[in-house]
Amino acid sequence: MPSVVKINVLTVPAEQRETLEKRFGARAGMVESSDGFEWFELLRPVEGTDQYLVYTRWRDEESFQAWMEGPMKAAHQGGGEGGERPRPAASGSEVWSFEVVQQAAPKKD
């Protein structure tokens, strides 16, 4: 069964970029310990767009859904200092889903 890739496309105004990156840095370890998790990358736009890509790869759709309904949901519902949830850094969000049909790694000599 092929792995699944989820790409969360976040529209982030220029003045919120640093905030977004700090928040992702502070979440270290949250997704990494989830069953079925394989890979994470936060991709910063270089030119021509204000959209960040949050790339995650999972063993299967069920692993992703379990994370969405458990740890991810809890993290996004939790309040910050004083119980208030911070304003989102992104002004929009869209999730793209893919199945991995081919992949390659560097050749070992």
Side-chain angles (χ1 to χ4, degrees):
M1 175 172 284
S3 296
V4 296
V5 169
K6 300 295 181 172
I7 298 175
N8 192 357
V9 184
L10 301 175
T11 302
V12 183
E15 67 275 7
Q16 290 293 320
R17 286 181 166 200
E18 187 177 345
T19 299
L20 179 89
E21 291 179 22
K22 282 183 178 175
R23 287 183 185 167
F24 269 92
R27 63 120 205 78
M30 288 184 64
V31 70
E32 289 90 328
S33 58
S34 295
D35 183 49
F37 169 79
E38 295 179 353
W39 197 257
F40 161 86
E41 291 177 328
L42 175 62
L43 306 176
R44 177 194 299 138
V46 176
E47 58 189 27
T49 185
D50 59 355
Q51 294 180 313
Y52 276 73
L53 301 181
V54 183
Y55 173 103
T56 56
R57 190 175 72 209
W58 300 86
R59 177 179 59 229
D60 50 34
E61 181 68 24
E62 293 74 23
S63 298
F64 172 73
Q65 292 299 331
W67 175 74
M68 286 287 289
E69 290 303 314
M72 197 285 293
K73 194 173 192 178
H76 283 82
Q77 287 176 343
E81 290 295 315
E84 285 189 33
R85 198 170 155 217
R87 255 184 84 232
S91 62
S93 174
E94 177 182 356
V95 177
W96 299 342
S97 299
F98 299 88
E99 283 185 345
V100 176
V101 292
Q102 293 184 23
Q103 61 185 12
K107 290 185 178 180
K108 305 260 192 275
D109 290 333

